[in-house]
Amino acid sequence: MIKKIPATALRIGMFVHDLNAGWMSHPFVLSQFKVTTGDEIAKVIGAGIRELYIDTARGLDVEGAPVQAEVDAHIMDEMVAAVQKPAPARVDAAAELGRAGRIKQQATSVVRAMMHDARLGRAIEIAQAEAVVETINESVLRNGGALIGLLGIKNKDEYTFLHSVSVCALMVAFARAQGFDDETVRIAGLGALLHDTGKMMVPESILNKPGRYTDDEFAIMKRHPEEGWKLLQAMPGLEEMVLDIALHHHERVDGTGYPHGLKGEAIALTTQMSSIVDVYDAITSDRCYHRGMPAPEGLKKLWEWSRHHFDPQLVQAFIRTLGIYPVGSLVRLESGRLAIVIEQNEAQLISPEVKVVFSTRSNAYVRPERLELARSQDRIVGHEDPQQWGIDVARFLTA
């Protein structure tokens, strides 16, 4: 039985099922192991891990600790209650998806060229970066879910470039939802687009390594925020917000981040927002060393981590921006059908508009059907991993 416990309750003889931390955020080779020494417990706590999951079938139990199903249900209830809000008028996602697909391709090409220039020591064309931000902003204004949904679909080979585009789009949508003025949205979006510029100073053998880093390699990787800050600081006219996002997007409000271990309000608001969108996109994307988790699962992890690493109010606002089931999520309906979320219903976040594509009862595709769950007898009972069902979400989103 999988149970969630505070890290301080971890004891020798327990079996760690899930460290409840990002792959890069803990020092262990494996995320599942039996605790055999006090040093392992000290490492867990020292890594800033506050809560984790144990398997009581493979190690000692903690009486009274909640089981995973109870934790998941509680998190979902909290998320829905906290982020629900009245719905504004929106542009139909179907009308925006075609344009969003072209924006995705064009923006990725621009970022690839900028990163190539940075690796070769050439100056980045900031005007091109600003044009990308403006194009993304226009798409988000028309319908943010369309572009963000498409950007959530990427393979491990294009991660480095698409991650920057995705973080930019997420940041623009997040900043707009927070009520920021147009100029602040523009600057925050530019900072998000350029946040990982310093990774171009990391040797490709480390950047694209398909396994866990050694301590020395991890130390090199952790220098990328400062390297990016140095590179961008040399470019005239860049706003301080852009530089701060590049330098501090790996800081955490409890002081466990890097490079400076800043805490709480010492981290600028827009930089805290960039940290949230950066982590969300990273954990929901396929990388060279791990498979990404479905978007709803990524939001649940952010919710858990917001108790320590992120501002809970900001995480709530971010989830409100994307919806409980973001566009592109594959969901299971009570009828046994699988459907892809194609449009948010901001008045009822657990009842988005979906496209039904598959029947689990007949184990076969069905004729695609758009369904407004708010007006249907059917309802979402959970989310699914598209790869496990062999469903090409991008094909159905754009069809």
Side-chain angles (χ1 to χ4, degrees):
M1 184 178 294
I2 309 304
K3 290 186 172 183
K4 184 177 182 180
I5 65 170
T8 53
L10 190 62
R11 298 290 182 267
I12 293 172
M14 292 182 180
F15 188 90
V16 174
H17 173 76
D18 180 0
L19 285 165
N20 199 25
W23 193 83
M24 293 283 291
S25 301
H26 65 78
F28 297 95
V29 175
L30 301 174
S31 294
Q32 296 185 342
F33 58 91
K34 192 161 189 175
V35 179
T36 58
T37 69
D39 285 344
E40 291 172 329
I41 297 173
K43 277 187 177 181
V44 169
I45 295 173
I49 295 169
R50 305 298 183 86
E51 300 167 312
L52 55 101
Y53 293 87
I54 60 171
D55 187 344
T56 62
R58 305 173 71 179
L60 297 179
D61 196 355
V62 175
E63 188 174 352
V67 300
Q68 187 160 25
E70 293 173 334
V71 173
D72 288 347
H74 182 64
I75 289 174
M76 180 60 71
D77 289 344
E78 284 186 332
M79 287 167 59
V80 172
V83 306
Q84 192 70 66
K85 69 172 184 179
R90 304 194 66 178
V91 175
D92 182 70
E96 182 59 24
L97 279 166
R99 283 177 293 199
R102 292 189 292 274
I103 291 169
K104 176 181 178 179
Q105 292 179 335
Q106 294 165 358
T108 303
S109 295
V110 171
V111 170
R112 183 181 284 109
M114 289 193 306
M115 294 296 192
H116 181 68
D117 287 343
R119 189 173 287 282
L120 294 180
R122 300 171 184 162
I124 292 176
E125 294 288 343
I126 297 300
Q128 289 187 342
E130 290 178 331
V132 167
V133 174
E134 180 58 30
T135 302
I136 287 173
N137 181 47
E138 291 171 354
S139 181
V140 168
L141 281 171
R142 289 188 295 265
N143 188 299
L147 180 60
I148 290 170
L150 282 182
L151 288 171
I153 304 167
K154 46 186 172 294
N155 62 53
K156 61 185 180 182
D157 297 323
E158 58 185 359
Y159 171 78
T160 299
F161 310 112
L162 259 180
H163 174 64
S164 294
V165 180
S166 294
V167 170
C168 177
L170 289 164
M171 186 67 164
V172 166
F174 194 5
R176 285 219 163 274
Q178 288 292 90
F180 292 176
D181 61 73
D182 290 345
E183 181 65 4
T184 302
V185 171
R186 180 192 70 80
I187 299 170
L190 183 61
L193 188 72
L194 300 175
H195 80 287
D196 263 349
T197 303
K199 283 188 176 178
M200 294 303 98
M201 305 298 106
V202 176
E204 289 193 57
S205 60
I206 296 177
L207 188 63
N208 299 318
K209 183 178 178 179
R212 178 165 289 282
Y213 294 139
T214 66
D215 289 345
D216 289 342
E217 289 170 338
F218 191 36
I220 292 172
M221 177 60 79
K222 288 174 70 174
R223 290 204 295 264
H224 80 266
E226 292 172 297
E227 294 292 343
W229 178 80
K230 291 176 186 176
L231 192 154
L232 295 175
Q233 191 184 43
M235 299 179 184
L238 277 182
E239 292 85 353
E240 182 60 33
M241 185 190 301
V242 175
L243 300 175
D244 193 67
I245 288 173
L247 181 59
H248 290 134
H249 64 275
H250 281 289
E251 301 287 359
R252 301 292 180 259
V253 295
D254 62 355
T256 60
Y258 63 89
H260 299 133
L262 301 181
K263 290 185 178 183
E265 294 182 359
I267 310 170
L269 174 61
T270 49
T271 303
Q272 290 189 45
M273 293 167 63
S274 75
S275 300
I276 292 169
V277 299
D278 177 54
V279 168
Y280 169 77
D281 190 71
I283 64 178
T284 57
S285 300
D286 286 345
R287 313 278 287 276
C288 56
Y289 46 77
H290 81 90
R291 275 185 59 191
M293 61 181 67
E297 194 67 30
L299 292 177
K300 285 202 296 185
K301 282 299 178 188
L302 280 181
W303 186 273
E304 284 191 83
W305 297 340
S306 72
R307 291 171 171 82
H308 310 291
H309 300 318
F310 306 112
D311 182 320
Q313 298 298 318
L314 281 180
V315 170
Q316 289 179 22
F318 179 63
I319 296 172
R320 189 179 299 121
T321 301
L322 294 192
I324 298 292
Y325 300 101
V327 171
S329 300
L330 182 68
V331 295
R332 180 187 288 267
L333 303 181
E334 192 172 43
S335 62
R337 298 179 295 175
L338 301 184
I340 297 167
V341 176
I342 58 174
E343 184 78 82
Q344 291 300 320
N345 176 358
E346 295 186 13
Q348 299 182 51
L349 290 179
I350 58 174
S351 299
E353 185 174 351
V354 301
K355 182 181 289 186
V356 178
V357 298
F358 194 88
S359 170
T360 61
R361 294 176 179 173
S362 61
N363 196 33
Y365 285 98
V366 297
R367 183 176 181 178
E369 173 193 357
R370 290 183 67 143
L371 189 64
E372 293 184 43
L373 291 178
R375 301 182 180 181
S376 170
Q377 296 298 313
D378 220 341
R379 66 184 184 92
I380 295 174
V381 294
H383 65 270
E384 297 285 340
D385 185 343
Q387 294 189 44
Q388 291 183 356
W389 292 93
I391 294 176
D392 183 353
V393 170
R395 179 168 69 91
F396 288 105
L397 266 183
T398 56

